Amino acid sequence: MKIAVYSCSFGDYRGEARCLKRKNKDKIDNASGSDGEDVDYYFFTDDKDLTLNNWNVIHHPLVDEDLEIMDANRWTNKDVKFNLPKILSSYDLYIWMDCSYFCHGDKWIFKPNLKKIKNLFTEHNINLFMMAHQIRGTLQQELEFTINRCVENRHAAKKFLKEVKDINYSQRLLQGGYFIRKNNRETDKLFRHTYNLLKSKKLKRDQNLFSHAIHETNYPTEKILFKKFHVFLRHIQ
């Protein structure tokens, strides 16, 4: 089984690229328990001076999308996250971590146990392993929260909330910062649709519409395994 671990940072969003440079020597390393598994590590960035131990640093161009929704740096982050770069196309399994996880300071976050992950996907016959949201349970609650906190495009978010307020989603609210997914057609379709929904609904937070993407693509929810944060980590480290 070929596994790719990938992440990205563009425009030093939230100071994450600077944090990476400070912490890389101690905190970012190869995953554990590989036992001969074919594992590669990719970090996509526009910072031509960034180097990381044990990772392939890929200089990636910024995408051209609607800048009224979010800036080009953030759009490119979403593009790498949801539209798999061609260099990753040959892998069987992908481990995504938002760049913010590299700055938490806990080494085990960056040391997933690949043998446990492989067994998890085989035993449960799943396509996607994610974290359940720690506080909120529904997409509508997340929309309301991000509107009130002024961290979402308010007009577009209120319009979308009105559109979906009566939908009872089959999938509870999931966090998108750290997930593991298979390389298959239906999961690719789900992730591409999430990206396209950001454009069509003019939103900038994927958690505000991931449940809707599952709903619209008729993605099989039995193929999604989700756990609370600490239980999620116990399953993969």
Side-chain angles (χ1 to χ4, degrees):
M1 177 178 286
K2 295 180 62 179
I3 300 171
V5 181
Y6 75 117
S7 187
C8 68
S9 178
F10 297 92
D12 197 17
Y13 180 59
R14 295 181 296 205
E16 291 166 352
R18 284 172 287 161
C19 181
L20 278 168
K21 291 176 182 178
R22 290 196 308 269
K23 293 194 171 186
N24 178 231
K25 289 184 179 180
D26 298 323
K27 301 298 181 184
I28 302 174
D29 204 345
N30 280 340
S32 65
S34 58
D35 289 342
E37 294 285 1
D38 191 356
V39 183
D40 294 308
Y41 302 80
Y42 294 89
F43 194 86
F44 298 84
T45 183
D46 58 343
D47 185 347
K48 294 183 179 179
D49 297 322
L50 181 64
T51 59
L52 299 174
N53 297 331
N54 301 318
W55 290 65
N56 299 297
V57 177
I58 308 297
H59 300 124
H60 193 283
L62 298 181
V63 300
D64 183 18
E65 296 288 6
D66 188 345
L67 299 183
E68 291 186 3
I69 302 174
M70 52 186 141
D71 65 29
N73 295 316
R74 197 164 179 182
W75 266 123
T76 309
N77 181 293
K78 303 294 185 184
D79 180 59
V80 170
K81 182 177 181 178
F82 291 106
N83 299 320
L84 282 172
K86 289 183 179 179
I87 197 171
L88 303 181
S89 62
S90 65
Y91 292 88
D92 303 301
L93 203 65
Y94 305 104
I95 302 173
W96 164 268
M97 289 180 284
D98 277 358
C99 188
S100 60
Y101 280 88
F102 296 122
C103 296
H104 285 181
D106 294 307
K107 192 168 185 178
W108 46 260
I109 287 180
F110 319 116
K111 300 274 287 184
N113 187 304
L114 301 175
K115 180 183 287 187
K116 291 177 71 173
I117 291 169
K118 180 181 177 181
N119 291 339
L120 177 75
F121 273 73
T122 301
E123 292 173 7
H124 292 275
N125 191 26
I126 56 173
N127 289 339
L128 186 57
F129 186 41
M130 301 185 72
M131 290 185 287
H133 199 284
Q134 294 286 86
I135 301 172
R136 291 170 291 283
T138 69
L139 176 148
Q140 292 88 342
Q141 291 170 350
E142 183 73 355
L143 278 166
E144 290 175 350
F145 177 81
T146 54
I147 290 168
N148 293 335
R149 290 287 300 272
C150 299
V151 292
E152 181 56 278
N153 298 325
R154 289 175 61 86
H155 177 73
K158 287 181 177 180
K159 181 179 178 181
F160 184 55
L161 178 59
K162 185 176 181 180
E163 176 186 339
V164 302
K165 65 182 178 66
D166 294 325
I167 298 178
N168 183 20
Y169 293 105
S170 59
Q171 180 64 60
R172 66 155 294 149
L173 185 66
L174 300 171
Q175 293 184 202
Y178 194 165
F179 59 77
I180 307 170
R181 53 152 295 193
K182 276 186 177 179
N183 180 5
N184 58 35
R185 187 172 299 175
E186 60 186 350
T187 306
D188 284 342
K189 179 181 177 181
L190 168 64
F191 276 64
R192 286 195 303 270
H193 191 60
T194 301
Y195 182 84
N196 290 331
L197 279 175
L198 288 169
K199 293 193 291 185
S200 64
K201 304 302 180 184
K202 299 186 180 300
L203 300 178
K204 58 186 177 183
R205 300 180 68 88
D206 46 84
Q207 283 180 186
N208 277 339
L209 43 69
F210 190 66
S211 297
H212 194 67
I214 293 171
H215 175 74
E216 287 199 334
T217 58
N218 294 313
Y219 191 83
T221 55
E222 68 273 12
K223 292 290 188 177
I224 305 174
L225 180 65
F226 60 90
K227 301 289 182 182
K228 292 183 178 180
F229 178 72
H230 293 291
V231 180
F232 175 92
L233 291 175
R234 285 202 300 270
H235 275 75
I236 65 173
Q237 66 175 326

